[in-house]
Every structure is written in structure tokens, then in C-alpha cells.
């Protein structure tokens, strides 16, 4: 099994694999959180609140990222700094949706990645994303055009 995972990952074409539209994998992320917090932890309920169960959609292009969350969209500058066979490091303009300027994106496959999220109360967890569209449809810098399929879901 490990060999097949490594074979799939080595077929990744980084950094190009990141380009396209991704959506948070709420089920996998919540399972990750529950693995690390006790069932009676006072903050655990915050992860199951209805507003937390709205998926975040992220569309990557070579120079920007477009976040869609709760019907609002925010565009930020995005730049790949480095990559290897399994991950990439990027610099991202901070916004109200993202206060981490550096992302280390770890690929599990060509259709799944995770990033580390560091909460202000000291809890660190992995948030997972799955690919929903292979190529970005952002037309131009400043354009509000988004992949119709993703926009319809949000």
C-alpha cells in the first residue's frame, strides 16, 4: 500500500498540481480534529457549529488565490516559493480569511492536500482539501468570474 501511495505522489507534477479549484474536506478535517481533542474538550463543539460546516473553496492561479466562503469572495496574491515531489511552500497575502502568510501544502494525491492550521488558543490541526475542478477559470486579475460549478455550490 505504501508503495502505491508513493508511486501516485511521484506522478504529481508540482507546482502545477495546485492550480484549479479546491474545497475543504469537512469530514476528513473533523475526523482529524477529533483524533487530537478529547471528547470532553470545551472547544470541540466549536468545530461542529453550523457556520463551521460551510465549506471553504480556494481557487489557485499562478499569481493569485480566490477564497469563497459563506457567499463572500476574497482575492489575494499568491506565489510559490519552493516545491519538492510531495509538497510546496507558498507565500500568500493575508486577508480576513487567512492570517498565515506562508503555507506548506502537503499532497496526499493529485486530488487531496492538507495544510496546518494554528489556532490562537494553541491548537494545531490539519485541514484537508479536495480538488473539485482541474483548471482555474479566473479570467483576469480583479475579475469576479469563478468556476460556475463551484459558485453554484456556495
Amino acid at each position: 500500500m505504501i508503495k502505491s501511495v508513493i508511486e501516485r505522489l511521484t506522478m504529481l507534477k508540482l507546482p502545477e498540481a495546485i492550480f484549479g479549484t479546491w474545497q475543504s474536506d469537512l469530514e476528513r478535517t473533523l475526523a482529524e480534529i477529533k483524533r487530537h481533542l478529547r471528547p470532553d474538550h470545551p472547544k470541540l463543539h466549536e468545530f461542529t457549529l453550523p457556520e463551521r460546516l460551510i465549506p471553504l473553496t480556494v481557487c489557485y492561479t499562478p499569481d493569485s488565490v480566490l477564497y469563497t466562503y459563506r457567499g463572500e469572495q476574497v482575492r489575494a496574491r499568491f506565489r510559490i516559493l519552493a516545491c519538492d515531489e510531495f509538497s510546496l511552500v507558498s507565500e500568500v497575502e493575508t486577508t480576513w480569511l487567512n492570517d498565515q502568510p506562508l503555507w506548506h501544502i502537503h499532497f496526499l494525491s493529485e486530488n487531496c492536500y492538507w495544510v496546518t492550521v494554528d489556532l490562537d488558543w494553541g491548537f494545531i490541526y490539519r485541514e484537508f482539501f479536495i480538488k473539485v475542478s482541474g483548471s482555474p477559470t479566473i479570467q483576469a486579475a480583479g475579475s469576479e468570474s469563478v468556476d460556475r460549478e463551484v459558485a453554484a455550490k456556495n
Side-chain angles (χ1 to χ4, degrees):
M1 178 167 164
I2 293 175
K3 183 179 178 184
S4 67
V5 170
I6 291 172
E7 286 172 354
R8 278 196 318 259
L9 286 172
T10 56
M11 294 187 324
L12 275 174
K13 297 207 180 344
L14 290 180
E16 294 83 7
I18 193 65
F19 302 133
T21 303
W22 299 77
Q23 191 168 67
S24 54
D25 184 341
L26 299 173
E27 186 176 317
R28 183 177 266 172
T29 300
L30 189 55
E32 170 78 5
I33 291 165
K34 287 179 176 180
R35 260 181 4 113
H36 296 287
L37 287 181
R38 296 182 326 269
D40 62 339
H41 193 283
K43 297 276 190 177
L44 182 59
H45 78 282
E46 292 179 13
F47 292 101
T48 58
L49 294 172
E51 59 268 17
R52 289 279 298 177
L53 300 177
I54 299 169
L56 168 65
T57 300
V58 185
C59 183
Y60 296 91
T61 68
D63 62 356
S64 70
V65 61
L66 178 70
Y67 306 101
T68 303
Y69 184 64
R70 297 184 187 167
E72 293 191 48
Q73 293 184 332
V74 177
R75 182 181 310 277
R77 288 185 304 276
F78 169 81
R79 182 171 67 113
I80 296 171
L81 301 176
C83 65
D84 60 22
E85 301 93 349
F86 311 112
S87 66
L88 63 87
V89 175
S90 63
E91 179 180 43
V92 186
E93 177 182 17
T94 58
T95 69
W96 66 270
L97 269 172
N98 169 51
D99 63 354
Q100 293 179 239
L102 293 175
W103 291 353
H104 190 180
I105 300 171
H106 305 265
F107 286 87
L108 296 178
S109 73
E110 64 275 2
N111 296 315
C112 182
Y113 75 79
W114 61 269
V115 293
T116 302
V117 177
D118 186 359
L119 299 179
D120 58 5
W121 50 278
F123 182 58
I124 299 171
Y125 68 96
R126 295 185 301 172
E127 183 160 1
F128 293 87
F129 289 83
I130 53 174
K131 197 166 213 175
V132 294
S133 158
S135 61
T137 58
I138 298 175
Q139 293 175 347
S143 168
E144 295 306 314
S145 175
V146 181
D147 186 343
R148 284 188 183 97
E149 178 183 324
V150 174
K153 288 181 182 178
N154 295 322

